[in-house]
Coordinates of all heavy atoms in Angstrom, one line a residue:
L1 N 0.9 -1.2 0.0 CA 0.0 0.0 0.0 C 0.9 1.3 0.0 O 1.8 1.4 0.9 CB -0.9 0.0 1.3 CG -1.8 1.2 1.4 CD1 -2.8 1.3 0.3 CD2 -2.5 1.1 2.8
L2 N 0.6 2.0 -1.0 CA 1.5 3.3 -1.2 C 0.8 4.6 -0.9 O -0.5 4.6 -1.3 CB 2.1 3.3 -2.5 CG 2.9 2.1 -3.1 CD1 3.5 2.4 -4.4 CD2 4.1 1.6 -2.0
A3 N 1.4 5.6 -0.4 CA 0.9 7.0 -0.5 C 1.6 7.5 -1.6 O 2.8 7.6 -1.8 CB 1.2 7.7 0.7
V4 N 0.8 8.1 -2.6 CA 1.4 8.6 -3.9 C 1.0 10.2 -4.0 O -0.1 10.5 -3.9 CB 0.9 7.8 -5.1 CG1 1.5 8.5 -6.4 CG2 1.2 6.4 -5.0
R5 N 2.1 11.0 -4.2 CA 1.8 12.4 -4.4 C 2.3 12.7 -5.9 O 3.3 12.4 -6.3 CB 2.6 13.3 -3.4 CG 2.3 14.7 -3.7 CD 2.9 15.6 -2.5 NE 4.5 15.4 -2.5 CZ 5.2 16.2 -3.1 NH1 4.7 17.0 -4.2 NH2 6.5 16.0 -3.1
L6 N 1.3 13.3 -6.7 CA 1.5 13.7 -8.1 C 2.2 15.0 -8.1 O 1.6 16.1 -7.6 CB 0.3 13.6 -8.9 CG -0.2 12.2 -9.3 CD1 -1.4 12.3 -10.1 CD2 0.9 11.3 -9.8
E7 N 3.3 15.2 -8.8 CA 3.8 16.5 -9.1 C 3.2 16.9 -10.4 O 2.8 18.2 -10.5 CB 5.3 16.5 -9.1 CG 5.9 17.9 -9.3 CD 7.5 17.8 -9.1 OE1 8.0 17.0 -8.3 OE2 8.1 18.4 -10.0
T8 N 3.1 16.1 -11.3 CA 2.4 16.4 -12.6 C 1.2 15.6 -12.6 O 0.9 14.8 -11.7 CB 3.3 16.0 -13.8 OG1 3.7 14.7 -13.8 CG2 4.5 16.9 -13.9
G9 N 0.3 15.8 -13.6 CA -0.9 15.1 -13.7 C -1.3 14.6 -15.0 O -2.3 14.9 -15.6
R10 N -0.4 13.7 -15.5 CA -0.6 13.2 -16.9 C -1.6 12.0 -16.9 O -1.9 11.4 -15.9 CB 0.7 12.7 -17.5 CG 1.8 13.6 -17.3 CD 1.6 15.0 -18.0 NE 2.7 15.8 -18.0 CZ 2.6 17.1 -18.2 NH1 1.5 17.7 -18.4 NH2 3.7 17.9 -18.1
T11 N -2.2 11.8 -18.1 CA -3.2 10.7 -18.1 C -2.5 9.4 -17.8 O -1.4 9.0 -18.2 CB -3.6 10.6 -19.6 OG1 -4.2 11.8 -20.0 CG2 -4.8 9.5 -19.8
H12 N -3.3 8.6 -16.8 CA -2.9 7.3 -16.4 C -1.4 7.3 -15.7 O -0.8 6.4 -15.6 CB -2.7 6.3 -17.5 CG -4.1 6.0 -18.1 ND1 -4.2 5.1 -19.1 CD2 -5.4 6.6 -18.0 CE1 -5.5 5.0 -19.5 NE2 -6.2 6.0 -18.8
Q13 N -1.0 8.5 -15.2 CA 0.4 8.7 -14.8 C 0.8 7.6 -13.7 O 1.9 6.9 -13.8 CB 0.6 10.0 -14.2 CG 2.1 10.2 -13.7 CD 2.3 11.7 -13.3 OE1 1.9 12.6 -13.9 NE2 3.0 11.9 -12.2
I14 N 0.0 7.5 -12.7 CA 0.4 6.6 -11.6 C 0.4 5.1 -12.1 O 1.3 4.3 -11.9 CB -0.6 6.7 -10.4 CG1 -0.5 8.0 -9.7 CG2 -0.3 5.5 -9.3 CD1 -1.5 8.3 -8.7
R15 N -0.6 4.8 -12.9 CA -0.7 3.5 -13.4 C 0.5 3.1 -14.4 O 1.1 2.0 -14.3 CB -2.0 3.3 -14.2 CG -3.2 3.6 -13.3 CD -4.5 3.8 -14.2 NE -4.9 2.6 -14.9 CZ -5.9 2.6 -15.7 NH1 -6.5 3.7 -16.0 NH2 -6.2 1.5 -16.3
V16 N 0.9 4.1 -15.2 CA 2.0 3.9 -16.2 C 3.4 3.8 -15.4 O 4.2 2.9 -15.7 CB 2.0 5.0 -17.1 CG1 3.3 5.0 -18.0 CG2 0.8 5.1 -18.1
H17 N 3.6 4.7 -14.5 CA 4.7 4.6 -13.7 C 5.0 3.3 -13.0 O 6.2 2.8 -13.0 CB 5.0 5.9 -12.8 CG 5.4 7.1 -13.6 ND1 5.4 8.3 -12.9 CD2 6.0 7.3 -14.7 CE1 6.0 9.2 -13.7 NE2 6.3 8.6 -14.8
F18 N 4.1 2.9 -12.2 CA 4.3 1.7 -11.4 C 4.4 0.4 -12.3 O 5.1 -0.5 -12.0 CB 3.3 1.6 -10.3 CG 3.7 2.6 -9.2 CD1 2.9 3.8 -9.1 CD2 4.7 2.3 -8.3 CE1 3.3 4.7 -8.1 CE2 5.1 3.2 -7.4 CZ 4.4 4.4 -7.3
S19 N 3.6 0.5 -13.5 CA 3.8 -0.7 -14.5 C 5.2 -0.6 -15.0 O 5.7 -1.8 -15.1 CB 2.7 -0.5 -15.5 OG 2.9 -1.5 -16.6
A20 N 5.7 0.5 -15.2 CA 7.1 0.5 -15.8 C 8.2 0.0 -14.8 O 9.2 -0.5 -15.1 CB 7.5 2.0 -16.2
L21 N 7.8 0.1 -13.5 CA 8.7 -0.4 -12.5 C 8.5 -2.0 -12.2 O 9.0 -2.5 -11.2 CB 8.5 0.4 -11.1 CG 9.0 1.8 -11.1 CD1 8.8 2.4 -9.7 CD2 10.4 1.9 -11.6
R22 N 7.6 -2.5 -12.9 CA 7.1 -3.9 -12.8 C 6.3 -4.1 -11.5 O 6.4 -5.2 -10.9 CB 8.3 -4.9 -12.9 CG 9.0 -4.8 -14.2 CD 10.2 -5.7 -14.2 NE 11.0 -5.6 -15.4 CZ 10.7 -6.3 -16.6 NH1 9.7 -7.1 -16.7 NH2 11.5 -6.1 -17.6
H23 N 5.7 -3.0 -11.0 CA 4.8 -3.2 -9.9 C 3.5 -2.5 -10.3 O 3.0 -1.5 -9.7 CB 5.4 -2.3 -8.7 CG 6.6 -3.0 -8.1 ND1 6.6 -4.2 -7.5 CD2 7.9 -2.5 -8.2 CE1 7.8 -4.4 -7.2 NE2 8.7 -3.4 -7.5
P24 N 2.7 -3.2 -11.2 CA 1.5 -2.6 -11.7 C 0.5 -2.5 -10.6 O 0.6 -3.3 -9.5 CB 0.9 -3.7 -12.8 CG 1.6 -4.9 -12.4 CD 2.9 -4.5 -11.8
L25 N -0.6 -1.7 -10.7 CA -1.6 -1.6 -9.6 C -2.4 -2.9 -9.6 O -2.8 -3.4 -10.7 CB -2.4 -0.4 -10.0 CG -2.1 1.0 -9.3 CD1 -0.8 1.5 -9.8 CD2 -3.2 2.0 -9.6
V26 N -2.7 -3.3 -8.4 CA -3.6 -4.4 -8.3 C -4.9 -4.0 -9.0 O -5.5 -3.0 -8.8 CB -3.9 -4.7 -6.8 CG1 -4.9 -5.9 -6.6 CG2 -2.6 -5.1 -6.1
G27 N -5.5 -5.0 -9.7 CA -6.8 -4.8 -10.4 C -6.7 -4.0 -11.8 O -7.7 -3.6 -12.2
D28 N -5.5 -3.8 -12.3 CA -5.3 -2.9 -13.5 C -4.8 -3.8 -14.7 O -3.7 -3.7 -15.0 CB -4.4 -1.9 -13.2 CG -4.4 -0.7 -14.3 OD1 -5.2 -0.9 -15.2 OD2 -3.6 0.2 -14.1
P29 N -5.7 -4.5 -15.4 CA -5.3 -5.3 -16.5 C -4.6 -4.6 -17.6 O -3.8 -5.2 -18.3 CB -6.6 -6.1 -16.9 CG -7.6 -5.3 -16.4 CD -7.2 -4.6 -15.2
L30 N -5.1 -3.4 -17.8 CA -4.6 -2.7 -19.0 C -3.1 -2.4 -18.8 O -2.2 -2.4 -19.8 CB -5.2 -1.2 -19.1 CG -4.8 -0.3 -20.2 CD1 -5.1 -0.9 -21.5 CD2 -5.4 1.0 -20.0
Y31 N -2.6 -2.4 -17.5 CA -1.1 -2.2 -17.4 C -0.4 -3.5 -16.7 O 0.6 -3.2 -16.0 CB -1.0 -0.9 -16.5 CG -1.3 0.3 -17.3 CD1 -2.4 1.0 -17.2 CD2 -0.4 0.7 -18.3 CE1 -2.7 2.1 -18.0 CE2 -0.6 1.9 -19.1 CZ -1.8 2.6 -19.0 OH -2.1 3.6 -19.7
G32 N -0.9 -4.6 -16.9 CA -0.2 -5.7 -16.5 C -0.5 -6.3 -15.2 O 0.4 -7.1 -14.7
C33 N -1.6 -6.2 -14.6 CA -1.8 -6.7 -13.2 C -2.1 -8.3 -13.4 O -2.3 -8.8 -14.4 CB -3.1 -6.2 -12.5 SG -4.6 -6.8 -13.1
D34 N -2.0 -8.9 -12.2 CA -2.3 -10.4 -12.2 C -3.9 -10.6 -12.1 O -4.5 -10.2 -11.1 CB -1.7 -11.0 -10.9 CG -2.0 -12.5 -10.8 OD1 -2.8 -13.0 -11.6 OD2 -1.5 -13.1 -9.7
P35 N -4.5 -11.0 -13.2 CA -5.9 -11.2 -13.1 C -6.4 -12.2 -12.1 O -7.6 -12.0 -11.7 CB -6.3 -11.6 -14.6 CG -4.9 -12.2 -15.0 CD -3.9 -11.5 -14.4
V36 N -5.7 -13.2 -11.9 CA -6.1 -14.1 -10.8 C -6.2 -13.4 -9.4 O -7.2 -13.7 -8.7 CB -5.1 -15.2 -10.7 CG1 -5.6 -16.2 -9.5 CG2 -5.1 -16.0 -12.0
L37 N -5.2 -12.6 -9.1 CA -5.3 -11.9 -7.8 C -6.5 -10.9 -7.8 O -7.2 -10.8 -6.9 CB -3.9 -11.1 -7.6 CG -3.8 -10.2 -6.5 CD1 -4.1 -11.0 -5.1 CD2 -2.6 -9.5 -6.3
A38 N -6.7 -10.2 -8.9 CA -7.8 -9.2 -9.0 C -9.1 -10.0 -8.7 O -10.0 -9.5 -8.0 CB -7.8 -8.6 -10.2
A39 N -9.3 -11.1 -9.4 CA -10.5 -11.9 -9.2 C -10.7 -12.3 -7.9 O -11.9 -12.4 -7.3 CB -10.5 -13.1 -10.2
R40 N -9.6 -12.9 -7.2 CA -9.8 -13.3 -5.8 C -10.2 -12.2 -4.8 O -10.9 -12.4 -3.9 CB -8.4 -13.8 -5.3 CG -8.4 -14.3 -4.0 CD -7.1 -15.1 -3.6 NE -6.0 -14.2 -3.4 CZ -5.6 -13.5 -2.4 NH1 -6.5 -13.6 -1.3 NH2 -4.6 -12.7 -2.2
L41 N -9.7 -10.9 -5.2 CA -10.1 -9.9 -4.3 C -11.4 -9.2 -4.7 O -11.9 -8.3 -4.1 CB -9.0 -8.8 -4.5 CG -7.6 -9.2 -3.9 CD1 -6.5 -8.1 -4.2 CD2 -7.6 -9.5 -2.5
G42 N -12.0 -9.8 -5.8 CA -13.3 -9.1 -6.2 C -13.2 -7.8 -6.8 O -14.1 -7.0 -6.9
L43 N -12.0 -7.5 -7.4 CA -11.8 -6.1 -7.9 C -12.2 -6.1 -9.4 O -11.7 -6.9 -10.1 CB -10.4 -5.6 -7.8 CG -9.8 -5.1 -6.3 CD1 -8.4 -4.9 -6.4 CD2 -10.7 -3.9 -6.0

């Protein structure tokens, strides 16, 4: 669980940045999340 502060506000910025670090947001299939985990959590 992260606290994230945006300095800029680009489209999908948080989702793109953490996907690039190989830490996609849970429940975000567009940017590479684990669909099995998302389904288990009901997201």
Side-chain angles (χ1 to χ4, degrees):
L1 177 63
L2 309 180
V4 179
R5 182 172 63 84
L6 289 184
E7 186 171 318
T8 54
R10 309 306 182 198
T11 303
H12 297 184
Q13 180 174 318
I14 294 173
R15 301 163 67 187
V16 170
H17 273 173
F18 285 100
S19 176
L21 293 184
R22 300 180 184 270
H23 293 293
L25 269 60
V26 173
D28 191 2
L30 183 62
Y31 290 101
C33 81
D34 177 0
V36 176
L37 175 60
R40 180 171 72 82
L41 298 174
L43 282 176

